[in-house]
Amino acid sequence: MGGSLAGLLAAHVLAGYADRVTVVERDRLPQGVKPRPGVAQGRHPHVLLEGGQSALESLLPGFLVELEAAGAPRVGMPSDLVLWQDGHWFRRLPSTTHIYTGSRAQLEELVRRRVLTNPVINVLEATDVIGLLGDASRVRGVLLRDRAGDARGEHRALEADLVVDASGSGTKAPDWLTAIGAKAPYEETIDTGLAYASRLYRGPSGILDGDTAGYYVYPSPAQIHAGGALPLEDGSHLVIVSGLRGDEPPTADDAFVTYVKRLPHPPLHRWLDEAQPLSQAFGYRQTANIRRRYDLPGRHPAGFLATGDALCTFNPVYGQGMAVAAMSALALRDALAHPRRTPTTRRVQRALLAASRQAWDISAGADRKMPGATGTAVDARPADRAADWYLQRVQARYPADPVVGHAFRSVLTLSAPITALFAPPVARAVLFRPPPTTPAGPPETPEE
């Protein structure tokens, strides 16, 4: 259910085990690199973190070469960006990780092109799933309706040995499970009320070119306005600004530019004075973290799995969604191929949840500290409070300390486990050395 990244990559994995894999997609798939209506954040900035890059390359060998050939910018961190957080500019130290900042539409089109060449996989476009077939013990398929027809029109059944929910954060699967006598998953939620707006610009020659690929201000409890500019494959930049509940960024032309002045980041506003807007501004407000706990005991039927945003939705400001979609498909592949463990529904579902756990810990851990955060998972556990003291010391050092910065970036980009922050060289710097001096102003060039 769903032909976005999570659905396409799950289909790719399952094609190695099934006679037929059917992807049911509510949209008509675009021809070429175009945003799909069903991707609510499609016009906003997306990044592919290093953990996602590794997963995609493992699933689709040669994919990163194709991505670079298509022009997706590969941005080094921290050397290629002017960054600011909690009152500090980051040193532009040599890069220890890279992210791809091309459009979501481009990356999805490249994945779609690779995956749908497999004759085992077919797509039902412009088709809604409106329910599940089966009972509390087993899901046996889905109930479909053609989107071009009348809402009261004929329904048809599609039987299946396995149903995978990759329908995104707006999934209706919990309700459908209840309708067949199963139990809806418990939902953990954290909502800061963050909202953002994005607009496409093209800058004059020499600005945001060469040594500086982008700007970014990170949000924090002390700095609720955030945003920046990131490069796209065609040489333009997507500018994004964000605020919290009650102070949402506007989408009107002049008001959008004025809102940028709230950032403690003068280079971006100066750049906008000379840049040419290429689009209107688009807003987005559905940014809650939601984790659906299908792994917990209860009446969860066999033959049903959830993946991607249908399983775990993150605040998009952290840029984790595409990486976790790829990492979840890799976890699905590994669980099915395990030489000694039978891939039961519950066992595989736990593997999918584990693939998203670190991203959840990062986004939920940061968001529960934001002012006005609400939800069922806002209250920190004693273990969380104990870790906060150490992590605050990490964050105070990573803008300028090469050792701490390397470790923290590897964790944030999902390429190393959180335990990397406790490695002896990192722990010595965190526990025994004072925070190093950060630049007094925005550094214009990378350090050698």
Side-chain angles (χ1 to χ4, degrees):
M1 300 190 292
S4 193
L5 287 177
L8 288 170
L9 293 173
H12 172 72
V13 170
L14 293 170
Y17 295 87
D19 297 323
R20 182 176 70 256
V21 178
T22 302
V23 178
V24 183
E25 170 52 45
R26 66 183 301 277
D27 290 334
R28 290 204 177 276
L29 298 179
Q31 299 300 311
V33 180
K34 297 177 184 177
R36 286 192 300 109
V39 183
Q41 305 142 247
R43 299 181 184 275
H44 299 279
H46 282 72
V47 297
L48 181 62
L49 304 178
E50 196 163 289
Q53 296 169 34
S54 299
L56 271 170
E57 187 64 21
S58 180
L59 292 163
L60 304 172
F63 181 81
L64 295 182
V65 172
E66 293 181 18
L67 190 61
E68 289 199 49
R74 183 172 182 263
V75 177
M77 296 179 65
S79 64
D80 294 344
L81 300 174
V82 174
L83 303 171
W84 191 97
Q85 185 173 24
D86 282 336
H88 299 287
W89 297 100
F90 283 54
R91 289 177 60 187
R92 295 180 65 177
L93 296 162
S95 296
T96 60
T97 189
H98 290 79
I99 60 174
Y100 286 94
T101 63
S103 67
R104 162 66 179 261
Q106 180 195 62
L107 189 139
E108 189 173 297
E109 194 274 336
L110 289 171
V111 170
R112 187 164 57 240
R113 188 193 310 167
R114 286 283 298 270
V115 169
L116 297 186
T117 58
N118 190 328
V120 171
I121 302 171
N122 69 295
V123 182
L124 296 179
E125 301 180 51
T127 302
D128 280 328
V129 178
I130 59 172
L132 298 174
L133 305 174
D135 51 38
S137 63
R138 173 169 286 277
V139 169
R140 294 181 172 84
V142 293
L143 195 61
L144 304 178
R145 182 178 61 214
D146 189 335
R147 297 196 82 220
D150 190 302
R152 295 167 297 177
E154 184 178 350
H155 304 162
R156 66 185 189 276
L158 176 63
E159 294 184 354
D161 298 304
L162 175 66
V163 172
V164 179
D165 182 13
S167 59
S169 57
T171 176
K172 296 180 175 61
D175 294 335
W176 297 337
L177 287 166
T178 302
I180 62 171
K183 184 178 179 181
Y186 174 71
E187 292 188 355
E188 298 173 315
T189 62
I190 300 177
D191 186 3
T192 65
L194 181 137
Y196 55 85
S198 304
R199 194 179 188 189
L200 192 62
Y201 284 85
R202 190 178 300 279
S205 177
I207 297 181
L208 272 183
D209 289 333
D211 289 340
T212 299
Y215 304 134
Y216 210 80
V217 169
Y218 290 106
S220 71
Q223 173 58 46
I224 61 172
H225 297 106
L230 293 173
L232 295 179
E233 60 270 15
D234 64 355
S236 63
H237 282 75
L238 259 177
V239 174
I240 181 172
V241 285
S242 66
L244 297 185
R245 190 182 293 110
D247 188 20
E248 295 88 352
T251 55
D253 293 357
D254 293 341
F256 178 86
V257 175
T258 300
Y259 197 92
V260 178
K261 293 182 179 180
R262 300 189 183 196
L263 301 181
H265 206 310
L268 180 57
H269 187 258
R270 289 199 298 265
W271 181 76
L272 286 184
D273 285 340
E274 301 184 46
Q276 175 189 2
L278 302 180
S279 74
Q280 67 184 81
F282 295 90
Y284 189 73
R285 297 189 180 187
Q286 304 301 316
T287 60
N289 302 279
I290 305 171
R291 182 162 63 169
R292 299 175 176 90
R293 298 301 302 270
Y294 288 102
D295 60 306
L296 297 178
R299 298 189 310 278
H300 302 313
F304 177 88
L305 297 171
T307 189
D309 282 357
L311 175 63
C312 196
T313 304
F314 313 98
N315 185 338
V317 76
Y318 301 108
Q320 301 165 316
M322 296 196 304
V324 172
M327 294 167 70
S328 298
L330 195 62
L332 175 63
R333 187 189 73 179
D334 292 346
L336 295 178
H338 198 286
R340 294 182 301 278
R341 291 186 175 181
T342 301
T344 62
T345 299
R346 189 173 184 188
R347 184 168 286 158
V348 176
Q349 189 65 79
R350 284 178 170 175
L352 291 169
L353 187 78
S356 64
R357 184 168 292 123
Q358 181 165 314
W360 172 266
D361 289 342
I362 292 168
S363 60
D367 275 3
R368 67 165 50 98
K369 301 183 185 74
M370 296 296 284
T374 61
T376 63
V378 168
D379 294 336
R381 301 166 298 177
D384 295 327
R385 290 192 288 269
D388 281 347
W389 176 85
Y390 186 86
L391 291 175
Q392 287 172 4
R393 296 179 68 86
V394 170
Q395 289 179 296
R397 287 155 178 78
Y398 98 99
D401 187 300
V403 174
V404 177
H406 184 179
F408 199 47
R409 281 187 293 276
S410 68
V411 171
L412 293 178
T413 59
L414 309 178
S415 57
I418 289 178
T419 53
L421 299 178
F422 301 92
V426 180
R428 283 194 294 270
V430 170
L431 297 174
F432 304 117
R433 290 206 296 265
T437 301
T438 54
E444 296 181 358
T445 57
E447 296 184 23
E448 294 293 334

